[in-house]
Amino acid sequence: MSYSGDENGFFGEFGGAYIPEMLQPNVLELRGHYLKIIESPDFQVEFKSLLRDYAGRPSSLYFAGRLSEQVGARVFLKREDLNHTGSHKINNTLGQILLAKRLGKRRIIAETGAGQHGVAAATVCALMGLECVVFMGALDCARQSPNVERMRMLGAEVREVRSGTQVLKDATNEAIRDWIAHPLDTHYIIGSTVGPHPYPDMVARFQSVISEELKQQLTEQIGRETPDYILACVGGGSNAMGSFYHYLDQPSVKLYGVEAAGEGLTSGRSAATLALGSKGVLHGSCIVLMQTRDGQVEEAHSASAGLDYPGVGPQHSYLCKSGRAKYVSVTDDEAFAAALQLTRIEGIIPALESAHALAYLGKLGAAANEVVVVILSGRGDKDMAAYLEYQKKQGG
Amino acid sequence: MAISNRLTRLFSESDRKLLSIYFTAGFPGLQDAPLLCQLLEKNGVDLIEIGFPFSDSLVDGPTIQAANECALKNGMTLELLFKQLENIRSLVALPLVLMSCVNPLLSYGMQRFAADCSRVGLDGVIIPDLPPEYMEPYRGFFEERSLSTVFLVTSHTSPERIRMIDRLSSGFIYAVSSDATTGNYLEVGERQREFFRRLSEMRLTNPFLVGFGVSDAKSFERVSEYSRGAIIGSAFIRALSNQGGLEEKVQSFIGSLRSPKP
């Protein structure tokens, strides 16, 4: 079975490009050029040198000894939090900005939830001297204000989105509407493995550097390139796709995507799309999405702005259906507790998104000699207000 | 595609510039759709597009987004809309086209949707985020019931693609006036005129109507010089949002566009 999708961007029944005619020129241009450009030697040279010298890759693979003791397995952390800008998002924005330049674009738009992708987009625009507009839900602007300030300092215009539910889904709508209004000079840097073909495939390729490095680093550290488990949080799914990418055809590696259950799967306030959703079309792609029985998109809920999305990318929709990867969920409170635990025993403050992957460690049931890689997709600076609030509630 | 219905007859029989009005079902009041159709007919409109609201429409600007949100809050569903339109053909003779994003239709079931459109007497559908290539599995459902399928083209659509869309269309082609979502102010500049001229000179099987940004008598007249007519949506929704009764609001807005049929 192939997991790379067909030429029209379908992964089984999921994916494709369900877009209005107004978006066809933008998407057709991208589709016609992206593979040729990113496979060209000059692109690869520039991309790799920026990943190394600018983003600080390879990100380290750290054996978390004290965490391993508590969990009862051999736990390694893939430290995407150590990248420049503080998350895995920079891998994708560096790739896309090089692509945008080669397509002759002079204006960049992006959507953001937690602000990590927005910061990464604003960063590469500053680096390349391109105009940058970031769409961010008004609610997210409020709960992730340090990132709003970072984007502005980097020279980006942050547009607070007040339509719909004022979170990531709505920021994505507004970015796409802006793209409709600027079909020629603008490139849309989507931050996750969502959106119309070729975005899910393209973003997965740029993020696949995570699993490429993992193979090498595991070989060096444990003598084989395959772990027993990979655990990654899933909103749209980019850090998970990047870390699964080179292991998809190796069934001995058990792949786990951890979604945000919010206040609980049955609470009505959750973002665990693959647990609660059904097949539908959102943001130009056929995916699993949370919707009413009338086909209206439901509001997602997660304390983590980066996972607060009622859909999940087409590859994950497919990997879930085919059974190749397993998707589970943890609640807001479990994620907070896991973030605090990692901070206290390893001295690493993780992003609240990444804390979802950590929170599932205890439920994984891995044996003492089994190797578990957790993708630490980002650092927690942006979540300080939420963490302090949580600790206050806990009386600690 | 040779289909005969009220829509195709309108284009073959009428020689005046055609005015199509779009409104969102369930807005401003949940039950308003049938009455709005009657009032639009009475005031001399030629064709009606009934919009079904979607929570995340990519093509719509703030005005129609707000109307969609309001309609959904009011409780609009496809089941309810078809119930409301049950007797529409005893009230209204105009061609009626239903416009909706694809997701609610997939959820309802495309075949069931086509069957219900046909049962209540609609003439066609516009599904803006279902590209013509993706219509293939569903085309038969509409064709066999003589329902027109209308697709959009823009000034960036290539000639080959326009020809392909022309082959798959029946009724008319929806020419999107400008690079924007619905409801933006339209300046009919050289680029628009060139686009409309180019479309006319292609001698397509289907006539075209211009939509997006057409808002008043002046813009209606300007774009009609180059087309069979135009579609007005957001400006009508804005008019419906004003104070007052539906009847006066429809009469005064449509009256401002052109005088009613004698």
Side-chain angles (χ1 to χ4, degrees), chain A residues 31 42 52 87 101 125 155 205 207 256 309 319 342:
Chain A
R31 196 185 303 169
D42 74 298
R52 185 187 64 224
S87 79
K101 286 204 74 143
C125 287
R205 282 168 189 263
Q207 292 294 359
Y256 276 76
Y309 185 67
L319 291 173
L342 189 76

Side-chain angles (χ1 to χ4, degrees), chain B residues 204-226:
Chain B
L204 301 170
T205 318
N206 292 280
F208 68 93
L209 295 180
V210 177
F212 283 50
V214 185
S215 60
D216 52 16
K218 191 173 146 216
S219 49
F220 176 65
E221 251 166 58
R222 295 290 296 276
V223 301
S224 295
E225 283 174 37
Y226 305 89

Side-chain angles (χ1 to χ4, degrees), chain A residues 35-354:
Chain A
L35 280 181
K36 215 166 45 203
I37 291 177
I38 66 183
E39 283 169 358
S40 71
D42 74 298
F43 179 95
Q44 282 298 322
V45 167
E46 193 175 359
F47 184 43
K48 282 183 177 150
S49 84
L50 282 172
L51 284 178
R52 185 187 64 224
D53 304 330
Y54 186 73
R57 302 203 72 90
S59 68
S60 67
L61 181 67
Y62 163 69
F63 174 67
R66 297 186 69 200
L67 182 63
S68 293
E69 246 168 66
Q70 288 205 355
V71 172
R74 297 165 70 195
V75 179
F76 289 80
L77 302 178
K78 180 62 174 160
R79 300 290 308 274
E80 293 298 304
D81 60 316
L82 295 178
N83 295 336
H84 179 42
T85 73
S87 79
H88 69 292
K89 296 292 189 189
I90 192 78
N91 306 331
N92 170 47
T93 58
L94 277 172
Q96 287 205 44
I97 200 82
L98 294 180
L99 183 71
K101 286 204 74 143
R102 280 161 174 78
L103 289 172
K105 306 295 174 182
R106 46 167 206 80
R107 180 173 176 271
I108 297 296
I109 54 172
E111 86 296 337
T112 197
Q116 293 301 83
H117 173 60
V119 167
T123 297
V124 298
C125 287
L127 176 68
M128 297 292 171
L130 295 185
E131 182 187 342
C132 182
V133 179
V134 180
F135 295 85
M136 187 168 184
L139 282 182
D140 290 339
C141 287
R143 60 178 163 172
Q144 307 274 219
S145 62
N147 274 343
V148 176
E149 296 311 320
R150 287 169 81 197
M151 287 184 269
R152 290 192 171 133
M153 184 165 172
L154 286 158
E157 178 193 339
V158 179
R159 285 204 200 150
E160 284 195 24
V161 173
R162 297 193 179 278
S163 61
T165 48
Q166 310 192 0
V167 292
L168 177 56
K169 160 181 89 83
D170 314 286
T172 308
N173 287 336
E174 283 309 320
I176 295 176
R177 289 173 190 138
D178 181 280
W179 208 23
I180 286 176
H182 300 89
L184 300 178
D185 66 341
T186 297
H187 175 70
Y188 177 20
I189 302 191
I190 294 188
S192 194
T193 47
V194 300
H197 176 59
Y199 279 103
D201 178 54
M202 181 170 74
V203 175
R205 282 168 189 263
F206 290 142
Q207 292 294 359
S208 69
V209 64
I210 302 174
S211 47
E212 193 182 315
E213 288 174 5
L214 266 181
K215 284 190 154 188
Q216 167 122 27
Q217 291 168 321
L218 283 170
T219 305
E220 286 161 15
Q221 296 188 36
I222 65 166
R224 59 181 163 97
E225 63 177 27
T226 53
D228 296 294
Y229 297 90
I230 296 177
L231 234 65
C233 65
V234 175
S238 72
N239 90 82
M241 260 331 285
S243 55
F244 293 176
Y245 199 88
H246 290 289
Y247 292 111
L248 287 170
D249 292 319
Q250 286 169 285
S252 70
V253 184
K254 295 184 264 300
L255 307 172
Y256 276 76
V258 185
E259 295 192 306
E263 294 176 12
L265 284 182
T266 55
S267 67
R269 288 171 64 76
S270 175
T273 305
L274 286 164
L276 301 170
S278 56
K279 193 171 120 172
V281 171
L282 178 67
H283 297 146
S285 183
C286 179
I287 56 174
V288 173
L289 86 109
M290 288 167 47
Q291 55 185 328
T292 65
R293 56 177 285 277
D294 302 310
Q296 304 293 342
V297 180
E298 280 188 301
E299 198 173 333
H301 170 82
S302 167
S304 141
L307 305 181
D308 200 348
Y309 185 67
V312 62
Q315 290 110 318
H316 290 296
S317 300
Y318 176 63
L319 291 173
C320 179
K321 180 137 195 203
S322 71
R324 173 62 190 98
K326 195 168 170 182
Y327 295 85
V328 294
S329 61
V330 302
T331 62
D332 290 343
D333 282 347
E334 289 171 316
F336 277 118
L340 198 61
Q341 179 198 29
L342 189 76
T343 303
R344 291 293 167 82
I345 65 172
E346 295 286 353
I348 298 170
I349 303 177
L352 188 50
E353 288 75 20
S354 323

Side-chain angles (χ1 to χ4, degrees), chain A residues 8 10 15-25 28 31 163-164 169-170 172-174 176-178 180-184 197 279-284 286 289 291-298, chain B residues 52-61 65 69 72 76-79 102-108 128-134 138 152-154 156-158 161 165 176 178-181 191 212:
Chain A
N8 295 315
F10 277 96
Y18 291 80
I19 49 170
E21 191 60 32
M22 294 82 101
L23 277 178
Q24 290 288 352
L28 285 177
R31 196 185 303 169
S163 61
K169 160 181 89 83
D170 314 286
T172 308
N173 287 336
E174 283 309 320
I176 295 176
R177 289 173 190 138
D178 181 280
I180 286 176
H182 300 89
L184 300 178
H197 176 59
K279 193 171 120 172
V281 171
L282 178 67
H283 297 146
C286 179
L289 86 109
Q291 55 185 328
T292 65
R293 56 177 285 277
D294 302 310
Q296 304 293 342
V297 180
E298 280 188 301
Chain B
F52 181 74
F54 179 51
S55 55
D56 292 82
S57 166
L58 297 176
V59 299
D60 286 314
Q65 279 175 46
E69 204 170 312
L72 291 173
M76 180 47 71
T77 65
L78 263 178
E79 270 157 36
V102 69
N103 195 55
L105 309 186
L106 291 175
S107 175
Y108 193 77
D129 57 347
L130 189 67
E133 298 90 332
Y134 287 27
Y138 313 117
L152 280 56
V153 302
T154 78
H156 304 289
T157 309
S158 69
R161 202 172 157 80
I165 285 169
V176 177
S178 50
D179 299 336
T181 49
R191 208 165 67 92
F212 283 50

